[in-house]
Amino acid sequence: MKLEDFADREPRFVLEEFFSGTLRGWGVTIGRLGGFQNRFTIDARGRFDPSANVLTLTEDYFFDDGHSDTLSWTILKRSENRYEGRETLIDGVAEGEQAGCAFRWQYARDVPDSNGSKTRFGFDDWFILHDEHHMSVHASLTKLGVEVATLEAFYERVG
């Protein structure tokens, strides 16, 4: 996919608007060869500070094997369509760009496993806004530059 393919698509995805408030999400992870890996739910809460151009976002992931993962993002809006994010387990900064109804988010993160270990994955996340309350996500997870899994999820704004 190319971000410019979404440039004329409505509604326009504005990260800080969609992620402000309370959200609920559901998803699955599929292995590289098509095998099912897990299901998960997401509870997310965000708040945008327009004076600082910063979105604070917490996402709690709950996996069907009983383990969980919390992402605590601080996302700076750099310009109309560009964002930069920090999170405790990511390597460096996340880079994001918006066009039309889509937002692309790229970063590398140490992901906790059910046994307590952590594995570094590269993420290439595509967020597609459907309407003011619903968004789908397609993510490619890589290890050493090779795709090892994909993630499919959707979010619903609940407050």
Short mmCIF file of all heavy atoms in Angstrom, two decimals, residues 73-129:
data_model
loop_
_atom_site.label_atom_id
_atom_site.label_comp_id
_atom_site.label_asym_id
_atom_site.label_seq_id
_atom_site.Cartn_x
_atom_site.Cartn_y
_atom_site.Cartn_z
N TRP A 73 1.79 5.80 25.18
CA TRP A 73 2.34 6.66 24.14
C TRP A 73 2.29 8.13 24.51
O TRP A 73 1.33 8.60 25.11
CB TRP A 73 1.51 6.52 22.86
CG TRP A 73 1.65 5.21 22.16
CD1 TRP A 73 0.75 4.18 22.18
CD2 TRP A 73 2.70 4.81 21.29
NE1 TRP A 73 1.20 3.16 21.39
CE2 TRP A 73 2.39 3.52 20.82
CE3 TRP A 73 3.87 5.42 20.86
CZ2 TRP A 73 3.22 2.83 19.95
CZ3 TRP A 73 4.70 4.73 19.99
CH2 TRP A 73 4.37 3.45 19.55
N THR A 74 3.32 8.86 24.10
CA THR A 74 3.33 10.31 24.06
C THR A 74 3.60 10.66 22.60
O THR A 74 4.68 10.37 22.07
CB THR A 74 4.42 10.90 24.96
OG1 THR A 74 4.18 10.45 26.30
CG2 THR A 74 4.41 12.42 24.92
N ILE A 75 2.58 11.24 21.94
CA ILE A 75 2.66 11.47 20.49
C ILE A 75 2.61 12.96 20.21
O ILE A 75 1.65 13.63 20.58
CB ILE A 75 1.51 10.73 19.77
CG1 ILE A 75 1.58 9.24 20.08
CG2 ILE A 75 1.57 11.01 18.27
CD1 ILE A 75 0.36 8.45 19.65
N LEU A 76 3.64 13.46 19.57
CA LEU A 76 3.75 14.87 19.22
C LEU A 76 3.30 15.08 17.79
O LEU A 76 3.78 14.40 16.87
CB LEU A 76 5.20 15.34 19.38
CG LEU A 76 5.52 16.76 18.96
CD1 LEU A 76 4.76 17.78 19.82
CD2 LEU A 76 7.02 17.01 19.03
N LYS A 77 2.37 16.01 17.59
CA LYS A 77 1.95 16.37 16.25
C LYS A 77 2.97 17.36 15.71
O LYS A 77 3.06 18.50 16.15
CB LYS A 77 0.54 16.98 16.25
CG LYS A 77 0.02 17.27 14.87
CD LYS A 77 -1.43 17.68 14.88
CE LYS A 77 -1.93 17.83 13.45
NZ LYS A 77 -3.36 18.07 13.41
N ARG A 78 3.78 16.91 14.74
CA ARG A 78 4.87 17.73 14.19
C ARG A 78 4.39 18.75 13.16
O ARG A 78 4.92 19.83 13.05
CB ARG A 78 5.91 16.83 13.54
CG ARG A 78 6.74 16.08 14.52
CD ARG A 78 7.90 16.94 14.87
NE ARG A 78 8.81 16.29 15.78
CZ ARG A 78 9.48 16.97 16.68
NH1 ARG A 78 9.33 18.26 16.79
NH2 ARG A 78 10.31 16.36 17.47
N SER A 79 3.40 18.34 12.36
CA SER A 79 2.83 19.22 11.34
C SER A 79 1.42 18.71 11.06
O SER A 79 0.95 17.80 11.72
CB SER A 79 3.69 19.21 10.07
OG SER A 79 3.63 17.95 9.44
N GLU A 80 0.79 19.26 10.05
CA GLU A 80 -0.59 18.87 9.72
C GLU A 80 -0.74 17.37 9.52
O GLU A 80 -1.74 16.79 9.91
CB GLU A 80 -1.06 19.63 8.47
CG GLU A 80 -2.50 19.38 8.10
CD GLU A 80 -3.49 19.89 9.15
OE1 GLU A 80 -3.16 20.82 9.90
OE2 GLU A 80 -4.59 19.33 9.21
N ASN A 81 0.27 16.72 8.92
CA ASN A 81 0.15 15.30 8.58
C ASN A 81 1.24 14.41 9.17
O ASN A 81 1.29 13.22 8.85
CB ASN A 81 0.17 15.12 7.05
CG ASN A 81 -0.98 15.84 6.39
OD1 ASN A 81 -2.06 15.92 6.94
ND2 ASN A 81 -0.73 16.39 5.22
N ARG A 82 2.13 14.94 10.01
CA ARG A 82 3.25 14.15 10.53
C ARG A 82 3.24 14.13 12.06
O ARG A 82 2.98 15.13 12.70
CB ARG A 82 4.57 14.71 10.04
CG ARG A 82 4.74 14.55 8.55
CD ARG A 82 6.21 14.64 8.19
NE ARG A 82 6.40 14.43 6.77
CZ ARG A 82 6.60 13.25 6.22
NH1 ARG A 82 6.65 12.18 6.95
NH2 ARG A 82 6.76 13.14 4.90
N TYR A 83 3.57 12.94 12.57
CA TYR A 83 3.57 12.71 14.01
C TYR A 83 4.84 11.96 14.42
O TYR A 83 5.42 11.24 13.62
CB TYR A 83 2.36 11.87 14.42
CG TYR A 83 1.03 12.53 14.16
CD1 TYR A 83 0.48 12.56 12.89
CD2 TYR A 83 0.33 13.14 15.20
CE1 TYR A 83 -0.74 13.17 12.64
CE2 TYR A 83 -0.90 13.74 14.97
CZ TYR A 83 -1.42 13.75 13.69
OH TYR A 83 -2.63 14.36 13.45
N GLU A 84 5.21 12.13 15.69
CA GLU A 84 6.36 11.44 16.26
C GLU A 84 5.95 10.92 17.62
O GLU A 84 5.36 11.66 18.42
CB GLU A 84 7.52 12.43 16.38
CG GLU A 84 8.75 11.88 17.02
CD GLU A 84 9.83 12.95 17.10
OE1 GLU A 84 10.38 13.33 16.05
OE2 GLU A 84 10.08 13.41 18.23
N GLY A 85 6.23 9.64 17.90
CA GLY A 85 5.78 9.05 19.15
C GLY A 85 6.90 8.41 19.95
O GLY A 85 7.88 7.92 19.39
N ARG A 86 6.69 8.43 21.25
CA ARG A 86 7.61 7.76 22.17
C ARG A 86 6.80 6.84 23.08
O ARG A 86 5.66 7.15 23.44
CB ARG A 86 8.37 8.79 23.00
CG ARG A 86 9.41 9.54 22.18
CD ARG A 86 10.18 10.55 23.00
NE ARG A 86 11.36 11.07 22.36
CZ ARG A 86 11.43 11.67 21.17
NH1 ARG A 86 10.36 11.79 20.44
NH2 ARG A 86 12.56 12.13 20.69
N GLU A 87 7.44 5.71 23.41
CA GLU A 87 6.81 4.73 24.28
C GLU A 87 7.95 3.98 24.95
O GLU A 87 9.02 3.83 24.37
CB GLU A 87 5.93 3.78 23.44
CG GLU A 87 4.85 3.03 24.21
CD GLU A 87 5.35 1.76 24.87
OE1 GLU A 87 6.31 1.15 24.34
OE2 GLU A 87 4.80 1.38 25.90
N THR A 88 7.75 3.53 26.19
CA THR A 88 8.87 3.00 26.98
C THR A 88 9.59 1.82 26.34
O THR A 88 10.79 1.67 26.53
CB THR A 88 8.39 2.59 28.39
OG1 THR A 88 7.29 1.69 28.26
CG2 THR A 88 7.97 3.80 29.19
N LEU A 89 8.90 0.98 25.58
CA LEU A 89 9.55 -0.21 25.02
C LEU A 89 9.91 -0.09 23.55
O LEU A 89 10.31 -1.08 22.93
CB LEU A 89 8.66 -1.44 25.23
CG LEU A 89 8.44 -1.86 26.68
CD1 LEU A 89 7.52 -3.07 26.76
CD2 LEU A 89 9.76 -2.14 27.39
N ILE A 90 9.79 1.11 22.97
CA ILE A 90 10.18 1.22 21.56
C ILE A 90 11.63 1.68 21.44
O ILE A 90 12.18 2.32 22.33
CB ILE A 90 9.25 2.13 20.72
CG1 ILE A 90 9.42 3.60 21.06
CG2 ILE A 90 7.82 1.73 20.82
CD1 ILE A 90 8.78 4.50 20.01
N ASP A 91 12.21 1.31 20.33
CA ASP A 91 13.58 1.67 20.01
C ASP A 91 13.55 2.99 19.25
O ASP A 91 13.05 3.04 18.13
CB ASP A 91 14.20 0.55 19.16
CG ASP A 91 15.65 0.80 18.83
OD1 ASP A 91 16.31 1.58 19.55
OD2 ASP A 91 16.13 0.23 17.84
N GLY A 92 14.02 4.06 19.87
CA GLY A 92 14.01 5.38 19.21
C GLY A 92 12.63 6.00 19.25
O GLY A 92 11.98 6.01 20.29
N VAL A 93 12.16 6.49 18.10
CA VAL A 93 10.85 7.13 18.01
C VAL A 93 10.01 6.46 16.93
O VAL A 93 10.53 5.94 15.96
CB VAL A 93 10.95 8.64 17.69
CG1 VAL A 93 11.16 9.48 18.91
CG2 VAL A 93 11.98 8.93 16.65
N ALA A 94 8.71 6.51 17.13
CA ALA A 94 7.77 6.07 16.10
C ALA A 94 7.54 7.24 15.17
O ALA A 94 7.46 8.39 15.61
CB ALA A 94 6.47 5.62 16.74
N GLU A 95 7.41 6.95 13.89
CA GLU A 95 7.15 7.97 12.88
C GLU A 95 5.79 7.70 12.26
O GLU A 95 5.50 6.56 11.88
CB GLU A 95 8.22 7.95 11.79
CG GLU A 95 9.62 8.24 12.29
CD GLU A 95 9.83 9.71 12.63
OE1 GLU A 95 9.11 10.57 12.09
OE2 GLU A 95 10.73 10.00 13.45
N GLY A 96 4.96 8.74 12.17
CA GLY A 96 3.64 8.58 11.59
C GLY A 96 3.32 9.64 10.57
O GLY A 96 3.80 10.78 10.67
N GLU A 97 2.50 9.25 9.59
CA GLU A 97 2.08 10.18 8.56
C GLU A 97 0.64 9.87 8.18
O GLU A 97 0.24 8.72 8.09
CB GLU A 97 2.97 10.07 7.34
CG GLU A 97 2.70 11.13 6.29
CD GLU A 97 3.69 11.10 5.15
OE1 GLU A 97 4.57 10.21 5.11
OE2 GLU A 97 3.58 11.97 4.27
N GLN A 98 -0.14 10.93 7.95
CA GLN A 98 -1.56 10.83 7.64
C GLN A 98 -1.83 11.31 6.23
O GLN A 98 -1.19 12.25 5.76
CB GLN A 98 -2.35 11.66 8.66
CG GLN A 98 -3.83 11.67 8.48
CD GLN A 98 -4.32 12.74 7.50
OE1 GLN A 98 -3.70 13.78 7.32
NE2 GLN A 98 -5.42 12.46 6.84
N ALA A 99 -2.79 10.66 5.54
CA ALA A 99 -3.29 11.13 4.24
C ALA A 99 -4.72 10.62 4.10
O ALA A 99 -4.98 9.43 4.25
CB ALA A 99 -2.44 10.62 3.08
N GLY A 100 -5.66 11.53 3.85
CA GLY A 100 -7.06 11.14 3.69
C GLY A 100 -7.56 10.38 4.90
O GLY A 100 -7.41 10.81 6.03
N CYS A 101 -8.13 9.18 4.66
CA CYS A 101 -8.70 8.38 5.74
C CYS A 101 -7.67 7.45 6.40
O CYS A 101 -8.03 6.63 7.25
CB CYS A 101 -9.87 7.56 5.22
SG CYS A 101 -9.40 6.26 4.06
N ALA A 102 -6.39 7.56 6.04
CA ALA A 102 -5.38 6.62 6.52
C ALA A 102 -4.29 7.29 7.34
O ALA A 102 -3.98 8.47 7.17
CB ALA A 102 -4.76 5.89 5.34
N PHE A 103 -3.69 6.48 8.20
CA PHE A 103 -2.55 6.89 9.00
C PHE A 103 -1.58 5.73 9.05
O PHE A 103 -1.96 4.59 9.33
CB PHE A 103 -2.99 7.26 10.43
CG PHE A 103 -1.87 7.67 11.33
CD1 PHE A 103 -1.28 8.92 11.20
CD2 PHE A 103 -1.41 6.81 12.31
CE1 PHE A 103 -0.24 9.30 12.04
CE2 PHE A 103 -0.36 7.18 13.15
CZ PHE A 103 0.22 8.43 13.01
N ARG A 104 -0.29 5.98 8.75
CA ARG A 104 0.75 4.95 8.79
C ARG A 104 1.69 5.25 9.95
O ARG A 104 2.17 6.37 10.09
CB ARG A 104 1.52 4.92 7.47
CG ARG A 104 2.48 3.77 7.40
CD ARG A 104 3.15 3.71 6.06
NE ARG A 104 3.96 2.49 5.95
CZ ARG A 104 4.80 2.27 4.96
NH1 ARG A 104 4.95 3.17 3.99
NH2 ARG A 104 5.50 1.16 4.92
N TRP A 105 1.98 4.22 10.75
CA TRP A 105 2.75 4.35 11.98
C TRP A 105 3.84 3.28 11.96
O TRP A 105 3.53 2.09 11.83
CB TRP A 105 1.79 4.14 13.13
CG TRP A 105 2.17 4.50 14.51
CD1 TRP A 105 2.05 3.67 15.60
CD2 TRP A 105 2.63 5.75 15.03
NE1 TRP A 105 2.42 4.34 16.73
CE2 TRP A 105 2.79 5.61 16.41
CE3 TRP A 105 2.96 6.96 14.44
CZ2 TRP A 105 3.24 6.65 17.23
CZ3 TRP A 105 3.41 7.99 15.24
CH2 TRP A 105 3.54 7.83 16.61
N GLN A 106 5.12 3.68 12.06
CA GLN A 106 6.23 2.74 11.97
C GLN A 106 7.17 2.89 13.16
O GLN A 106 7.53 4.01 13.53
CB GLN A 106 7.00 2.95 10.67
CG GLN A 106 6.16 2.68 9.44
CD GLN A 106 6.90 3.00 8.17
OE1 GLN A 106 7.22 4.15 7.90
NE2 GLN A 106 7.18 1.97 7.38
N TYR A 107 7.57 1.72 13.72
CA TYR A 107 8.45 1.74 14.88
C TYR A 107 8.96 0.32 15.15
O TYR A 107 8.48 -0.65 14.56
CB TYR A 107 7.73 2.27 16.13
CG TYR A 107 6.47 1.51 16.48
CD1 TYR A 107 6.48 0.50 17.42
CD2 TYR A 107 5.26 1.81 15.86
CE1 TYR A 107 5.33 -0.19 17.75
CE2 TYR A 107 4.10 1.13 16.18
CZ TYR A 107 4.15 0.13 17.13
OH TYR A 107 3.00 -0.57 17.43
N ALA A 108 9.93 0.20 16.06
CA ALA A 108 10.41 -1.09 16.55
C ALA A 108 10.17 -1.12 18.05
O ALA A 108 10.41 -0.12 18.74
CB ALA A 108 11.89 -1.28 16.23
N ARG A 109 9.69 -2.27 18.56
CA ARG A 109 9.31 -2.35 19.98
C ARG A 109 9.64 -3.73 20.53
O ARG A 109 9.50 -4.73 19.85
CB ARG A 109 7.82 -2.08 20.14
CG ARG A 109 7.35 -2.05 21.58
CD ARG A 109 5.89 -1.64 21.68
NE ARG A 109 5.47 -1.46 23.06
CZ ARG A 109 5.00 -2.43 23.83
NH1 ARG A 109 4.87 -3.66 23.36
NH2 ARG A 109 4.66 -2.17 25.08
N ASP A 110 10.04 -3.76 21.81
CA ASP A 110 10.23 -5.01 22.54
C ASP A 110 8.86 -5.45 23.04
O ASP A 110 8.26 -4.78 23.89
CB ASP A 110 11.19 -4.81 23.71
CG ASP A 110 12.60 -4.49 23.27
OD1 ASP A 110 13.01 -4.99 22.21
OD2 ASP A 110 13.29 -3.72 23.96
N VAL A 111 8.37 -6.57 22.53
CA VAL A 111 7.02 -7.04 22.84
C VAL A 111 7.10 -8.17 23.88
O VAL A 111 7.77 -9.18 23.64
CB VAL A 111 6.31 -7.54 21.57
CG1 VAL A 111 4.94 -8.10 21.89
CG2 VAL A 111 6.22 -6.41 20.55
N PRO A 112 6.41 -7.99 25.03
CA PRO A 112 6.40 -9.04 26.05
C PRO A 112 5.61 -10.27 25.59
O PRO A 112 4.58 -10.14 24.95
CB PRO A 112 5.71 -8.39 27.25
CG PRO A 112 5.58 -6.95 26.93
CD PRO A 112 5.71 -6.79 25.46
N ASP A 113 6.12 -11.45 25.94
CA ASP A 113 5.43 -12.71 25.62
C ASP A 113 4.80 -13.25 26.90
O ASP A 113 5.06 -12.75 28.00
CB ASP A 113 6.44 -13.72 25.06
CG ASP A 113 5.79 -14.83 24.27
OD1 ASP A 113 4.55 -14.95 24.33
OD2 ASP A 113 6.51 -15.58 23.61
N SER A 114 4.00 -14.30 26.77
CA SER A 114 3.30 -14.87 27.91
C SER A 114 4.26 -15.45 28.95
O SER A 114 3.94 -15.52 30.12
CB SER A 114 2.31 -15.94 27.47
OG SER A 114 2.99 -16.95 26.75
N ASN A 115 5.49 -15.83 28.54
CA ASN A 115 6.46 -16.39 29.48
C ASN A 115 7.33 -15.33 30.15
O ASN A 115 8.26 -15.65 30.88
CB ASN A 115 7.34 -17.43 28.77
CG ASN A 115 8.21 -16.82 27.69
OD1 ASN A 115 8.30 -15.60 27.54
ND2 ASN A 115 8.85 -17.68 26.90
N GLY A 116 7.07 -14.06 29.87
CA GLY A 116 7.81 -12.96 30.48
C GLY A 116 8.99 -12.47 29.66
O GLY A 116 9.57 -11.43 29.97
N SER A 117 9.36 -13.19 28.62
CA SER A 117 10.47 -12.73 27.77
C SER A 117 9.96 -11.62 26.84
O SER A 117 8.76 -11.39 26.73
CB SER A 117 11.01 -13.91 26.94
OG SER A 117 10.04 -14.34 26.01
N LYS A 118 10.90 -10.95 26.19
CA LYS A 118 10.55 -9.89 25.24
C LYS A 118 11.27 -10.14 23.93
O LYS A 118 12.41 -10.58 23.91
CB LYS A 118 10.94 -8.51 25.79
CG LYS A 118 10.14 -8.09 26.98
CD LYS A 118 10.55 -6.73 27.48
CE LYS A 118 9.74 -6.39 28.73
NZ LYS A 118 10.26 -5.26 29.43
N THR A 119 10.56 -9.84 22.84
CA THR A 119 11.12 -9.98 21.50
C THR A 119 10.97 -8.65 20.77
O THR A 119 9.90 -8.06 20.81
CB THR A 119 10.38 -11.09 20.71
OG1 THR A 119 10.45 -12.30 21.45
CG2 THR A 119 11.01 -11.28 19.34
N ARG A 120 12.02 -8.22 20.10
CA ARG A 120 11.97 -6.97 19.33
C ARG A 120 11.35 -7.23 17.96
O ARG A 120 11.79 -8.10 17.22
CB ARG A 120 13.38 -6.41 19.16
CG ARG A 120 13.52 -5.33 18.11
CD ARG A 120 13.62 -3.90 18.55
NE ARG A 120 13.86 -3.59 19.90
CZ ARG A 120 14.93 -2.94 20.35
NH1 ARG A 120 15.88 -2.55 19.54
NH2 ARG A 120 15.03 -2.65 21.63
N PHE A 121 10.27 -6.49 17.67
CA PHE A 121 9.61 -6.55 16.38
C PHE A 121 9.57 -5.18 15.75
O PHE A 121 9.43 -4.17 16.46
CB PHE A 121 8.16 -7.05 16.51
CG PHE A 121 8.02 -8.49 16.88
CD1 PHE A 121 7.65 -8.86 18.15
CD2 PHE A 121 8.25 -9.49 15.94
CE1 PHE A 121 7.51 -10.19 18.50
CE2 PHE A 121 8.12 -10.83 16.27
CZ PHE A 121 7.75 -11.18 17.56
N GLY A 122 9.66 -5.12 14.44
CA GLY A 122 9.37 -3.91 13.70
C GLY A 122 7.88 -3.90 13.39
O GLY A 122 7.31 -4.95 13.08
N PHE A 123 7.25 -2.76 13.49
CA PHE A 123 5.82 -2.62 13.21
C PHE A 123 5.62 -1.63 12.07
O PHE A 123 6.23 -0.56 12.04
CB PHE A 123 5.07 -2.09 14.44
CG PHE A 123 4.89 -3.11 15.53
CD1 PHE A 123 5.90 -3.38 16.43
CD2 PHE A 123 3.69 -3.80 15.65
CE1 PHE A 123 5.74 -4.30 17.43
CE2 PHE A 123 3.52 -4.73 16.65
CZ PHE A 123 4.54 -4.99 17.55
N ASP A 124 4.76 -2.00 11.15
CA ASP A 124 4.31 -1.11 10.08
C ASP A 124 2.78 -1.15 10.15
O ASP A 124 2.15 -2.06 9.63
CB ASP A 124 4.82 -1.60 8.73
CG ASP A 124 4.53 -0.62 7.60
OD1 ASP A 124 3.93 0.45 7.86
OD2 ASP A 124 4.90 -0.93 6.45
N ASP A 125 2.21 -0.19 10.87
CA ASP A 125 0.77 -0.15 11.17
C ASP A 125 0.05 0.76 10.20
O ASP A 125 0.50 1.89 9.95
CB ASP A 125 0.51 0.38 12.58
CG ASP A 125 1.12 -0.46 13.69
OD1 ASP A 125 1.60 -1.58 13.40
OD2 ASP A 125 1.11 0.00 14.84
N TRP A 126 -1.08 0.29 9.68
CA TRP A 126 -1.95 1.08 8.82
C TRP A 126 -3.30 1.22 9.50
O TRP A 126 -3.98 0.21 9.73
CB TRP A 126 -2.13 0.40 7.47
CG TRP A 126 -0.91 0.48 6.63
CD1 TRP A 126 0.18 -0.35 6.66
CD2 TRP A 126 -0.64 1.45 5.61
NE1 TRP A 126 1.10 0.05 5.72
CE2 TRP A 126 0.62 1.15 5.06
CE3 TRP A 126 -1.37 2.54 5.11
CZ2 TRP A 126 1.18 1.91 4.04
CZ3 TRP A 126 -0.81 3.28 4.09
CH2 TRP A 126 0.45 2.96 3.58
N PHE A 127 -3.69 2.43 9.85
CA PHE A 127 -4.98 2.72 10.46
C PHE A 127 -5.89 3.31 9.37
O PHE A 127 -5.49 4.27 8.70
CB PHE A 127 -4.84 3.76 11.56
CG PHE A 127 -3.97 3.33 12.71
CD1 PHE A 127 -2.59 3.43 12.64
CD2 PHE A 127 -4.54 2.83 13.87
CE1 PHE A 127 -1.79 3.04 13.70
CE2 PHE A 127 -3.75 2.44 14.94
CZ PHE A 127 -2.36 2.54 14.85
N ILE A 128 -7.08 2.74 9.21
CA ILE A 128 -8.02 3.22 8.20
C ILE A 128 -9.31 3.62 8.91
O ILE A 128 -9.97 2.78 9.55
CB ILE A 128 -8.34 2.14 7.14
CG1 ILE A 128 -7.06 1.50 6.58
CG2 ILE A 128 -9.24 2.72 6.05
CD1 ILE A 128 -6.16 2.42 5.83
N LEU A 129 -9.68 4.89 8.81
CA LEU A 129 -10.89 5.39 9.45
C LEU A 129 -12.10 5.07 8.57
O LEU A 129 -12.09 5.35 7.37
CB LEU A 129 -10.78 6.90 9.66
CG LEU A 129 -11.92 7.54 10.44
CD1 LEU A 129 -11.93 7.05 11.90
CD2 LEU A 129 -11.78 9.06 10.41
#
